[in-house]
Amino acid sequence: MANSEMRRVIIDVDVGTDDAWALLLLLKCEKKYRFKVDAITCTHGNTDVTHGARNVLRMLTAIGRLDVPVYKGATEPIVTAVPFREKPFHGIDGFADLDLNDTVDESLIKPEHAVNELYRRIQSEAGAMSLVFIGPLTNLALCIKLYPEIRSKIRELYIMGGNRYGMGNVSKSAEFNFWSDPEAAHIVFNNVQCPITLLPWETCLSEQKTIPMEWRIKVLGNTSNRAVQLLNQAEGKIFAGRPFWRPCDAFLAAVFVDPDIVESSENFHVDIELTGQLTRGQTVLDHLKSNRENVKLMEKLKTEQFKMLMLYAADHEVEHKL
């Protein structure tokens, strides 16, 4: 392939340890899998946008990739206030509140707002830019409403969020990313015209049962990679006592890196419930097939292939197995 044919991607994050793994996977796999991470945009979600951007810089510093530009975006959902959570899963700072003493050079964060930068890059490279969104969809929704002409100019969109069977992880019926900004998810699914790949919460639940926490710590975590060593500290605290590892955002990043990792999927028309008293933020699938399908929904991944990708990203000697 010529360089001009390489995939180019912007990743939108709310870092979050599983976002951090997704970033590491994407940045480590660029050369082997022929794509380029053009930019990283940050949003509210697992933590506030400032902590999220700091965590991105920590990861980039650890692996020597400060060449990738970082932008701060939305600080809150489009309509409602930031939902209150008494005990955020990833801690207040997104990295398990480790009281890190490192110095993060926030001057490296670009001054442009993430929404405007998304527009500039999508517009200038019409049809060429892939998007991987692994937090609330606020930045993309705002970009669509400010600049509706981008709706037809995105190459492909990968999203971690929502649910297939109405199983929630933050409410009875809603997954965290869509629950955090249901209006944003609704705007995205009803406007973008490119192929959408969706990894829902239930798929993450089924995949986690194949990845013991012992493997995560003793095998994957046994490396000199500085980013992984940082994540060892954070996830050692977050997942303490849990039998399985659940890196939801890394699952989605792996699907982007190597689509062959998908064992099964199904196409649906997807929309988001906005007004239900018990179901706000729930993903609604058209099982009647009465509307045009707009999403490829991931059902099952090839676990061993995923684990090999993660080992590769963590600098283990496994390239010959990929």
Side-chain angles (χ1 to χ4, degrees), residues 186 189-190 198 266-272 283-297:
H186 174 78
F189 283 103
N190 282 279
L198 179 67
E266 188 172 355
N267 295 329
F268 285 102
H269 180 274
V270 167
D271 208 336
I272 312 301
T283 307
V284 180
L285 308 184
D286 179 14
H287 292 275
L288 299 176
K289 305 292 185 178
S290 56
N291 292 284
R292 180 184 63 83
E293 296 164 345
N294 61 352
V295 163
K296 178 182 284 188
L297 187 143

Side-chain angles (χ1 to χ4, degrees), residues 186-222:
H186 174 78
I187 289 168
V188 169
F189 283 103
N190 282 279
N191 281 276
V192 298
Q193 298 171 21
C194 66
I196 302 175
T197 298
L198 179 67
L199 181 80
W201 171 241
E202 292 91 340
T203 301
C204 297
L205 284 179
S206 61
E207 292 301 320
Q208 73 160 3
K209 295 177 182 178
T210 65
I211 308 179
M213 197 62 200
E214 183 177 18
W215 178 88
R216 156 65 184 92
I217 298 299
K218 294 184 178 180
V219 180
L220 180 60
N222 184 19

